[in-house]
Amino acid sequence: MAQETQRLIRLVNETLDFEKVRTNKVALVPEEFDASVMLHNLVTQLGKKAKANDDEVILKTPAKLMMYADQDRIVQILFNILQNAIQFTEHGQITVQGRETTTGIEFEIQDTGIGMTQAQIDQIWERFYKADPSRMRTQYGETGLGMSIVRHLVELHHGKVTVTSQPNQGTTVTVWIPKVDHN
Ligand SMILES: Nc1ncnc2c1ncn2[C@@H]1O[C@H](COP(=O)(O)OP(=O)(O)O)[C@@H](O)[C@H]1O
Ligand SMILES: [Mg+2]
């Protein structure tokens, strides 16, 4: 019962957030920050969940990775993706990478989990979509809104998010955020 209440609270919060994002009511507040520090914090925050699933998380990022973007929103994007990677991977490996490219900053989250078919990949951006509803688990954000929020937030930054996956092999999600000239 308490778990069900938690689930409902989370669903309402996520839906509210989604409505704001969907109707473009989210105003980005860009700032300069070190994405490597952010990635270290994220991995630490989700460490317990990874451990519970017997997942090893490997972080590969430069000593410093400065970027100019809305930090809270970038955290929200990567948190959702990393949470999925852990949720759908048991006794596996998750590799989180951050790097600078000529055009911007790129993040890659790769897991060795259950993966998806192409048909499933094509649908993950739809709100409330879950490839397999029977896999629903209450300890995670499991409302099926995560990836639609991710896509909207990436698009607000004029970036790109791509997913490649193979059933039973794993999934790779790549997020690219363009450099902005803010001089
Ligand atoms: N890393 C992943 N590995 C396998 N399936 C995934 C992964 N990420 C997302 N999915 C699939 O896409 C669906 C939608 O993800 P998401 O929008 O985050 O919703 P939720 O996590 O709330 O189920 C998931 O339910 C799952 O079926
Ligand atoms: Mg999710």
Side-chain angles (χ1 to χ4, degrees):
M1 191 55 212
Q3 265 199 348
E4 185 59 18
T5 309
Q6 280 305 312
R7 202 188 77 82
L8 284 175
I9 291 170
R10 204 156 49 217
L11 175 62
V12 169
N13 284 341
E14 281 191 28
T15 308
L16 280 179
D17 207 37
F18 183 84
E19 273 314 296
K20 265 168 86 181
V21 173
R22 192 183 64 82
T23 55
N24 278 323
K25 287 199 179 114
V26 172
L28 294 185
V29 185
E31 62 180 312
E32 182 106 20
F33 65 94
D34 187 342
S36 284
V37 171
M38 178 201 66
L39 288 176
H40 277 284
N41 289 337
L42 265 177
V43 167
T44 305
Q45 266 185 59
L46 283 163
K48 237 173 121 180
K49 280 182 181 179
K51 211 173 166 196
N53 266 3
D54 188 31
D55 291 329
E56 182 192 5
V57 182
I58 298 157
L59 176 58
K60 292 180 185 171
T61 193
K64 215 176 177 166
L65 186 61
M66 297 311 292
M67 72 183 291
Y68 185 78
D70 186 324
Q71 180 163 208
D72 287 350
R73 300 305 168 181
I74 300 295
V75 167
Q76 196 176 1
I77 290 165
L78 296 172
F79 189 91
N80 271 308
I81 297 169
L82 184 54
Q83 182 167 264
N84 282 343
I86 295 168
Q87 180 177 358
F88 298 106
T89 305
E90 264 163 24
H91 317 294
Q93 219 174 52
I94 293 146
T95 311
V96 179
Q97 285 180 268
R99 66 174 80 93
E100 189 171 1
T101 70
T102 48
T103 54
I105 300 291
E106 194 172 83
F107 300 100
E108 192 180 285
I109 292 101
Q110 190 181 0
D111 69 57
T112 59
I114 60 169
M116 286 172 275
T117 63
Q118 187 57 50
Q120 288 173 329
I121 297 173
D122 292 341
Q123 288 182 84
I124 63 170
W125 314 107
E126 286 166 26
R127 51 193 303 202
F128 304 123
Y129 175 75
K130 303 163 81 61
D132 179 1
S134 68
R135 268 199 322 255
M136 189 163 106
R137 287 201 253 143
T138 39
Q139 70 261 49
Y140 298 104
E142 82 294 24
T143 50
L145 279 171
M147 290 307 281
S148 4
I149 291 177
V150 163
R151 178 176 253 181
H152 273 89
L153 292 176
V154 170
E155 282 173 359
L156 274 178
H157 279 90
H158 306 288
K160 274 210 174 81
V161 52
T162 54
V163 177
T164 58
S165 190
Q166 292 275 334
N168 305 313
Q169 300 288 314
T171 301
T172 302
V173 182
T174 309
V175 173
W176 167 77
I177 303 290
K179 246 174 218 163
V180 258
D181 193 357
H182 51 94
N183 293 312

